[in-house]
Amino acid sequence: MRPEMTLELHWHARSGLEATQAVQTDPHAGLSTAEAAARLAQHGLNELPEEAHKAIWKVFAAQFASPLIYILFVAAIISFAMSHASDAMVILVVVLINAVIGAVQEGRAEHSMAALRRLSSLKVRVVRDGHDSIIEARDLVPGDILLLAAGDQVGADARLLEAAALEATEAALTGESLPVLKNTDVSPEDAGLGDRKNMIYSGTHLTAGRGRAVVVATGLQTEVGKIARMTATAEEPKTPLETRLAQFGQWLVAASIVLFALVLAFGLMRGIAFVDIFMVAISQMVSMVPEGLPVAMTIALAVGMQRMARRGAIVRRLAAVETLGSTSIICSDKTGTLTKNEMTVTTLVLSDGRRIEATGAGYSPEGRLLHEGQDIDDPALRRLLEACVLCNDAQLVPPDAEDTRWRALGDPTEAALLTVALKGCVEPETLRKAHPRRAELPFDSATKMMATQHGSRVIVKGAPECLLPFCDAQPVGLANEMAAQALRVLAVAELENGQIDEKAGFEPFRGHLRFLGLLGQMDPPRDEVKRAVAECQDAGIRPVMVTGDHKATGLAIATALGIAKPGDIAVDGAELELMPEQDLRANLDRISVFARVHPAQKLRIVEAFQSQRHVVAMTGDGVNDAPALATADVGVAMGITGTEVAKGAAKIVITDDNFATIVKAVEEGRLVYQNLKKVVLFLFATSIDEVVVLLLALLCGYPLPLAAVQILWINIVTEGTVTVNLIMEGLEGDEMRRKPTPMGEPLITKAMWQRMALMVTTSVAAIFGFFVWRLSSGVDFKLVQTETFTLVAISQWFNVLNCRSATKSSLSLDVLKNPWLIGGLVLGNLLHVLVIYTDTLNHIFHTVPIPLADFFLLGLIGSSVLWVEEVRKWFARRRR
């Protein structure tokens, strides 16, 4: 009878014999070919189902899903019905341009499942029919016996049956930065994923040793498969901008309908013909809708995307640009993001108790060894450093044409020992040639020690608690003190005139080893991260560490970086599992570090912060991060160390894996939203100007000051030539001293309404007053309408200067910093001249040439909106 429910068993809590019995296989001969084929039919291929990609036409069609676009469609249809084809075509062209820009810039495709399916091309060694065979990983079934060696990628989840110095890199799955030494011992049933030393997992890599294991889970039943299911079903939240636009669109639809009904009612009450008043009502509806907003919004996000790319952040989803600017919580991985992901020896303690400080960070040998602030060159120190080089299997690779960094080959802990030796002027290659290795005792998980023999000298290194009992001196207190500082501590000792006996192991050395010293290592924080953390906190953003490392190590790094404040706590995965949801949410403000968490817990952390109305950015690089990246408001994947799965689930990819780059991207995101608000202020001040002027004319019994096609020209051409350029405004300098935009904040804030009221009142008074004055002077209506049309345009050109800043004066050379805006103003003026002085355009837009002398008067009247706003800004600056 074949195994049916392998997933329900806690394989790590069973012995190897129990595991083979449960999956009904022979640990030596493996499965037969026939049995393997039968199980393949039962369990299916060892792969993950591919997610269908979104068709390009669906991406394009999604660009039309906006209330603003719906209103424009209605206006276009009615214009066609009323035989105003030119008006309708202009509206439809605007809508089409917006959709094309959005589809091209966004082009979003989820690659998570495709990346996970790359296991299908992997080859693995198995035992079948009693013989070694090489098969594709996709053909593995529960019960297969895997043969493992250093360098292999693991093709399925398996329980180890044999392990000889076997080490696996599981950072992509568990977040643990160092290779994990595997064994065959039974683990506690409640052991976390990273603590199951007797298991190997699909998608991880073996870095050392050899072994044999029995496959217990394939396909969607593996740990990677479970994560894939969570990633596929993770619900992606709406961005703050999408939420605000939806609310704003609903308000705009309601306002447009009310306005349309009011105008129609007023017109009919005054006895105006239905056909005439209906077209007026449509023109008012068109006035109410800022046609340039969808295009401006899309281009603003696209420009932000390009700016972020120049600063090392690649945006995969357009709306994520603004969302990052609204972020209030950044859940950041530790290894490689906050730290260098390069183990570094920072402290050495010699046999006589002297403490040596090692400067520098990473694998680069640049740095000094200091005792009480002075360089030290001491025989005891040199003896310790030589021992670290000889009892060591790693290598350092110097910079080359492909990579400008020093790199480690082998165990990162051992590579860090070579780096500190180079800082002490001990050359590894020269020393190893002079003292070749004669024998060795490989590192063993039971003894936690390693020994090598060079001539008659035996060198032993290992965990202090295991090695020190073998030594003449036992500075246990020093080792504990270093461990309390979140350092990974290694002890080194030697025996002169010794001999390694592989059968006897380490026991003959007990009491005979001479203690040489202790070395404390850490993965050091990046130099620029502490400053970036402080900048985040000044901006009202709270960084939180989510790490696969141990709780004490995470808290120490978080404290050093300023992430953890006095009174803050760290919570590990086991504690989080037992914590009720209400307790988690009540303590979120105090928890600065989440350690040893599994994928479902990362999701829980993100959702807990979101439940408190935070906008959450989540960083990650591993397979285990994908579900949380997809669920977070902004998923941020690492470009260098990140898996394709993580990049596929994220909305933003950081090219240099640096937390400081995330902070720069936040600043760019805030700039995008800041410029969007400037555009919204400008567009709506213009739209309300037109609505109020038209309503006043209707209520007071005057002819319409603007034709419907002139309204479209102002909304599309006059505004369009400057709104896109207003988006190009640079940083004002205080973006990272402001608080994040609250989740519930509307698109148009109270302060914006107040500014808008002042600008609209000034513009309407100037425009409508001029219109009435010119009509009462007996001027031809066609000329009055053209002059009014021109005055509206001039007012908007001055208004765009007003909107550049809420407090800074427009009367400075600062405007020259945005050549795009200057160019837009020049282009707008030239196009307006064409529409007034060209016969063809006169016919289309119902204009007539204006005497040149009148332009000076129009300019003077139109500038009134600038002077009034300058007075308001002056008072605003005085209040600050």
Side-chain angles (χ1 to χ4, degrees):
M1 181 176 175
R2 301 185 186 101
E4 294 290 338
M5 293 296 292
T6 57
L7 184 65
E8 298 301 321
L9 301 176
H10 295 286
W11 297 106
H12 58 280
R14 291 172 172 258
S15 68
L17 178 60
E18 289 174 327
T20 55
Q21 290 173 344
V23 294
Q24 300 171 21
T25 191
D26 186 319
H28 304 291
L31 298 172
S32 67
T33 302
E35 178 62 18
R39 293 191 183 188
L40 188 64
Q42 177 189 354
H43 294 279
L45 291 172
N46 178 33
E47 60 185 10
L48 303 169
E50 185 174 9
E51 183 181 4
H53 293 300
K54 199 171 182 180
I56 187 64
W57 69 267
K58 289 184 178 179
V59 175
F60 180 73
Q63 308 304 314
F64 297 98
S66 163
L68 292 176
I69 302 298
Y70 301 154
I71 294 173
L72 291 176
F73 271 133
V74 171
I77 292 168
I78 295 173
S79 295
F80 268 121
M82 302 295 292
S83 301
H84 291 268
S86 59
D87 295 1
M89 288 305 298
V90 171
I91 296 171
L92 291 177
V93 166
V94 170
V95 172
L96 185 63
I97 290 172
N98 173 71
V100 170
I101 292 173
V104 169
Q105 288 288 352
E106 194 163 314
R108 188 165 189 266
E110 285 293 340
H111 298 297
S112 296
M113 304 300 287
L116 287 167
R117 291 183 74 250
R118 290 184 180 181
L119 285 173
S120 61
S121 60
L122 179 67
K123 299 288 193 297
V124 293
R125 279 201 310 148
V126 299
V127 178
R128 284 187 179 173
D129 297 314
H131 303 290
D132 294 4
S133 303
I134 296 177
I135 65 171
E136 288 193 358
R138 68 201 300 263
D139 294 327
L140 283 172
V141 295
D144 265 324
I145 302 299
L146 288 174
L147 300 177
L148 309 165
D152 288 352
Q153 180 173 333
V154 181
D157 289 4
R159 170 62 164 90
L160 285 167
L161 304 176
E162 299 174 13
L166 187 68
E167 294 184 359
T169 298
E170 298 179 339
L173 189 63
T174 66
E176 172 59 62
S177 56
L178 294 174
V180 178
L181 184 66
K182 295 294 184 176
N183 59 46
T184 59
D185 300 339
V186 174
S187 297
E189 190 167 305
D190 61 352
L193 203 61
D195 296 320
R196 300 172 187 176
K197 309 296 186 187
N198 56 16
M199 297 290 296
I200 52 172
Y201 294 105
S202 177
T204 62
H205 289 79
L206 304 179
T207 57
R210 60 178 179 79
R212 176 186 288 249
V214 56
V215 173
V216 295
T218 59
L220 285 171
Q221 305 306 315
T222 62
E223 293 298 329
V224 171
K226 297 175 194 173
I227 294 169
R229 280 204 300 263
M230 288 197 300
T231 303
T233 58
E235 185 176 346
E236 186 175 303
K238 282 190 173 183
T239 69
L241 182 60
E242 287 169 337
T243 302
R244 293 185 188 111
L245 272 177
Q247 294 170 346
F248 180 66
Q250 291 167 1
W251 173 85
L252 200 59
V253 168
S256 298
I257 293 171
V258 170
L259 180 64
F260 178 83
L262 283 174
V263 171
L264 202 61
F266 276 127
L268 293 174
M269 287 170 60
R270 284 188 51 197
I272 300 175
F274 177 81
V275 172
D276 294 337
I277 194 58
F278 188 83
M279 202 59 214
V280 172
I282 288 297
S283 71
Q284 292 286 50
M285 181 182 280
V286 170
S287 295
M288 192 68 186
V289 180
E291 288 86 348
L293 183 58
V295 174
M297 198 81 72
T298 303
I299 293 177
L301 296 174
V303 168
M305 178 187 287
Q306 291 157 6
R307 280 174 167 161
M308 284 187 179
R310 287 195 293 270
R311 301 187 75 170
I314 307 301
V315 180
R316 298 186 62 251
R317 186 181 176 200
L318 211 56
V321 174
E322 180 272 336
T323 311
L324 191 58
S326 302
T327 297
S328 55
I329 297 286
I330 299 179
C331 294
S332 177
D333 187 24
K334 175 182 73 70
T335 305
T337 307
L338 298 172
T339 63
K340 288 178 174 291
N341 196 20
E342 297 177 352
M343 294 302 293
T344 304
V345 175
T346 60
T347 306
L348 302 89
V349 176
L350 302 182
S351 56
D352 58 8
R354 285 179 294 165
R355 186 181 290 264
I356 312 297
E357 177 193 356
T359 66
Y363 298 129
S364 170
E366 297 176 4
R368 300 161 63 192
L369 301 182
L370 305 174
H371 174 57
E372 297 180 349
Q374 301 295 319
D375 289 300
I376 180 172
D377 184 10
D378 182 272
L381 173 61
R382 187 170 184 85
R383 193 79 175 170
L384 172 62
L385 296 179
E386 287 180 351
C388 290
V389 169
L390 295 174
C391 189
N392 193 314
D393 292 325
Q395 294 181 44
L396 284 178
V397 181
D400 53 32
E402 293 184 2
D403 197 327
T404 58
R405 302 174 303 161
W406 284 78
R407 308 185 303 282
L409 282 182
D411 187 276
T413 300
E414 293 195 323
L417 300 180
L418 299 183
T419 299
V420 76
L422 284 168
K423 291 175 183 178
C425 300
V426 175
E427 174 55 51
E429 293 304 316
T430 304
L431 186 67
R432 285 170 172 173
K433 287 179 182 178
H435 302 279
R437 187 180 297 184
R438 303 298 182 191
E440 68 178 296
L441 291 174
F443 187 87
D444 181 79
S445 60
T447 61
K448 295 184 179 179
M449 292 187 291
M450 171 185 179
T452 57
Q453 181 180 333
H454 308 267
S456 61
R457 182 187 183 192
V458 175
I459 301 169
V460 185
K461 76 170 191 288
E465 66 272 19
C466 298
L467 178 57
L468 292 180
F470 286 75
C471 298
D472 53 354
Q474 300 185 17
V476 177
L478 280 174
N480 292 338
E481 180 186 331
M482 293 170 70
Q485 297 169 357
L487 296 175
R488 296 177 187 268
V489 186
L490 199 65
V492 182
E494 68 175 358
L495 175 64
E496 293 288 358
N497 302 315
Q499 188 80 21
I500 286 179
D501 183 343
E502 293 184 5
K503 292 183 179 179
F506 292 95
E507 197 56 37
F509 302 141
R510 187 177 294 276
H512 300 295
L513 296 178
R514 184 162 73 91
F515 174 69
L516 293 179
L518 299 170
L519 299 100
Q521 298 187 17
M522 67 182 298
D523 180 7
R526 289 178 178 263
D527 298 332
E528 63 278 17
V529 166
K530 188 170 185 178
R531 184 172 63 254
V533 167
E535 194 174 355
C536 266
Q537 291 165 341
D538 289 343
I541 301 168
R542 183 183 169 217
V544 176
M545 182 187 291
V546 181
T547 178
D549 215 331
H550 292 283
K551 185 166 69 171
T553 305
L555 189 58
I557 296 291
T559 302
L561 290 173
I563 292 174
K565 303 295 183 184
D568 284 1
I569 60 173
V571 172
D572 64 25
E575 293 167 334
L576 185 61
E577 194 69 33
L578 299 173
M579 189 179 292
E581 193 64 26
Q582 63 270 23
D583 291 355
L584 171 61
R585 297 184 181 186
N587 287 289
L588 276 179
D589 290 343
R590 295 178 55 236
I591 302 174
S592 292
V593 177
F594 291 94
R596 307 294 259 182
V597 293
H598 58 70
Q601 289 177 326
K602 289 191 176 187
L603 273 176
R604 184 183 172 195
I605 293 165
V606 169
E607 289 168 350
F609 279 117
Q610 288 174 332
S611 72
Q612 297 188 348
R613 299 186 64 77
H614 284 293
V615 177
V616 182
M618 172 80 184
T619 77
D621 56 7
V623 174
N624 65 329
D625 296 322
L629 289 174
T631 301
D633 297 286
V634 187
V636 183
M638 301 297 107
I640 298 174
T641 59
T643 60
E644 288 303 313
V645 180
K647 293 174 188 175
K651 300 178 183 74
I652 293 177
V653 178
I654 300 298
T655 58
D656 60 359
D657 291 15
N658 194 331
F659 182 83
T661 302
I662 302 172
V663 179
K664 293 175 187 174
V666 168
E667 185 177 47
E668 289 294 342
R670 290 190 171 190
L671 174 62
V672 167
Y673 189 58
Q674 175 178 289
N675 286 348
L676 276 176
K677 289 174 76 173
K678 293 175 184 178
V679 169
V680 169
L681 175 65
F682 171 67
L683 290 175
F684 272 87
T686 306
S687 296
I688 295 173
D689 284 353
E690 296 161 11
V691 168
V692 175
V693 168
L694 287 166
L695 277 175
L696 284 174
L698 187 62
L699 291 171
C700 297
Y702 291 105
L704 293 178
L706 298 168
V709 73
Q710 290 172 349
I711 294 170
L712 282 174
W713 175 274
I714 291 168
N715 287 7
I716 295 168
V717 180
T718 305
E719 295 173 5
T721 54
V722 290
T723 49
V724 172
N725 307 311
L726 189 58
I727 285 160
M728 305 301 289
E729 285 290 310
L731 294 164
E732 292 187 22
D734 62 347
E735 283 77 9
M736 294 303 285
R737 292 193 295 274
R738 303 174 188 172
K739 297 303 178 186
T741 305
M743 279 284 285
E745 182 178 279
L747 197 59
I748 302 179
T749 62
K750 181 180 178 182
M752 290 172 68
W753 280 117
Q754 291 170 343
R755 288 185 69 193
M756 206 180 298
L758 185 62
M759 289 188 286
V760 167
T761 300
T762 306
S763 295
V764 169
I767 295 166
F768 190 69
F770 174 83
F771 174 69
V772 172
W773 170 64
R774 292 295 277 173
L775 280 180
S776 63
S777 301
V779 179
D780 179 69
F781 176 72
K782 278 276 190 181
L783 179 58
V784 174
Q785 193 175 53
T786 303
E787 288 177 337
T788 305
F789 168 50
T790 302
L791 183 55
V792 171
I794 291 171
S795 294
Q796 301 322 309
W797 292 328
F798 281 112
N799 233 353
V800 78
L801 297 177
N802 287 334
C803 293
R804 292 185 65 240
S805 173
T807 55
K808 292 181 179 178
S809 173
S810 301
L811 305 176
S812 70
L813 295 177
D814 189 57
V815 70
L816 299 178
K817 292 181 180 178
N818 187 352
W820 293 94
L821 186 58
I822 300 298
L825 287 168
V826 171
L827 178 61
N829 275 267
L830 291 175
L831 291 174
H832 199 86
V833 167
L834 287 176
V835 87
I836 290 174
Y837 294 104
T838 305
D839 289 340
T840 304
L841 295 179
N842 285 159
H843 176 71
I844 294 173
F845 290 95
H846 315 300
T847 57
V848 295
I850 297 174
L852 290 177
D854 290 357
F855 268 111
F856 294 102
L857 177 62
L858 292 171
L860 182 62
I861 296 171
S863 69
S864 60
V865 71
L866 175 70
W867 304 116
V868 171
E869 179 67 1
E870 282 296 316
V871 172
R872 187 204 63 79
K873 288 181 181 180
W874 183 79
F875 280 110
R877 288 194 297 272
R878 291 196 64 184
R879 287 196 298 267
R880 291 176 69 176

